[in-house]
Amino acid sequence: MIVNDRITDYINSLERSRGPLLTEIASKARKERIPVIREETASFLISLVESKRPAAILEVGTAVGYSTLLMAGAMPENCRITTIEKYEKRIPEALRNFERAGESDRITLLAGDAGEILKKLTGPYDFIFMDAAKGQYLVWLPEIMRLMVPGSMLVSDNVLQDGDIIESRYAVERRDRTIHARMREYLYELKHTDRLATSIIPIGDGVAFSVLKVPEITNVCPSSAGEKEM
């Protein structure tokens, strides 16, 4: 764990119920080992959506729709979510969950490879949540940034890999080394891209929170500034 288990348990003990449907979806998914957002990260995500009041949300990685519905419950009435899922077996369950929650009209699920779908989207999206194949975050980043506008928020989940991100590549399992290297590159890119302001937050399995900066406005006639009338 990134954070002491006792602290995490205490934080989660303060949570209010998310309602019977969301509780059922999360419980079933965890029992079946389907990856869904951790509860402390869920609270952070909801707070960000409430704060941003977005008009359009993009989610990369639907799974069974748990995080999608968390965001739907916090977003304004006129907001819409576009969510992408590649794993065919999960798509019918996600669609059923959207229907059960009465959110089908506000959620569009696009089935297929995120890399290909992202190239076809036009956006813009003022809130983006990435929670899919961790080794692809860096690959997707240029398309993600193309779909953002100044002030857009990007939330990337599972970036600290249960703390393994700080280890040498030789200290992690051989099968995980490529993802480990790519995630390190991704975090470096987020922190060193001039157009982004990024904070890496050690909650859940690690969250990177980025905002696309507003471009600086330069004075087109600097020599005239401060000139006095004759």
Side-chain angles (χ1 to χ4, degrees):
M1 296 293 292
I2 299 168
V3 180
N4 182 292
D5 285 348
R6 291 179 62 198
I7 293 176
T8 298
D9 290 343
Y10 172 69
I11 291 171
N12 289 339
S13 75
L14 299 174
E15 290 294 343
R16 296 168 57 184
S17 170
R18 303 201 191 282
L21 178 58
L22 285 173
T23 300
E24 175 196 323
I25 292 171
S27 177
K28 182 175 183 291
R30 291 179 179 126
K31 190 177 296 183
E32 296 175 358
R33 303 196 175 209
I34 296 171
V36 292
I37 190 170
R38 299 187 188 186
E39 288 307 304
E40 59 274 27
T41 310
S43 294
F44 181 60
L45 182 67
I46 291 169
S47 296
L48 291 177
V49 174
E50 289 277 9
S51 170
K52 179 62 179 174
R53 308 299 289 168
I57 295 175
L58 173 63
E59 178 183 48
V60 184
T62 316
V64 293
Y66 180 58
S67 54
T68 323
L69 290 175
L70 288 173
M71 291 188 288
M75 69 191 191
E77 183 62 34
N78 63 348
C79 183
R80 297 292 181 270
I81 298 178
T82 299
T83 184
I84 303 171
E85 179 57 47
K86 181 179 181 180
Y87 192 38
E88 294 181 0
K89 292 184 178 179
R90 291 177 186 155
I91 292 171
E93 185 170 356
L95 292 173
R96 283 194 299 271
N97 288 334
F98 299 157
E99 183 69 30
R100 294 172 67 197
E103 294 287 5
S104 295
D105 291 342
R106 298 202 298 165
I107 300 171
T108 300
L109 193 156
L110 302 178
D113 180 75
E116 294 303 314
I117 292 174
L118 288 171
K119 293 175 185 177
K120 299 173 184 177
L121 296 178
T122 56
Y125 298 96
D126 45 359
F127 195 95
I128 300 176
F129 179 51
M130 289 229 289
D131 188 20
K134 314 308 173 230
Q136 298 302 307
Y137 282 12
L138 183 64
V139 177
W140 296 333
L141 185 58
E143 291 297 334
I144 291 292
M145 290 185 64
R146 177 183 64 81
L147 296 169
M148 298 170 74
V149 291
S152 288
M153 295 179 175
L154 167 62
V155 180
S156 310
D157 198 15
N158 304 118
V159 298
L160 297 182
Q161 301 177 334
D162 277 326
D164 283 349
I165 198 72
I166 66 172
E167 303 293 345
S168 158
R169 70 184 300 269
Y170 299 105
V172 300
E173 296 286 341
R174 184 181 294 272
R175 66 174 182 269
D176 297 329
R177 287 178 185 173
T178 298
I179 294 176
H180 178 268
R182 288 184 178 179
M183 185 57 75
R184 280 191 161 208
E185 289 180 55
Y186 178 68
L187 293 178
Y188 184 91
E189 191 69 20
L190 290 181
K191 293 293 289 184
H192 290 80
T193 297
D194 289 339
R195 294 176 60 205
L196 294 173
T198 297
S199 179
I200 300 169
I201 305 164
I203 60 170
D205 194 20
V207 174
F209 172 55
S210 308
V211 179
L212 190 70
K213 296 179 183 178
V214 177
E216 292 185 7
I217 300 175
T218 57
N219 193 330
V220 293
C221 299
S223 61
S224 65
E227 285 186 358
K228 296 181 179 180
E229 292 183 5
M230 297 300 292

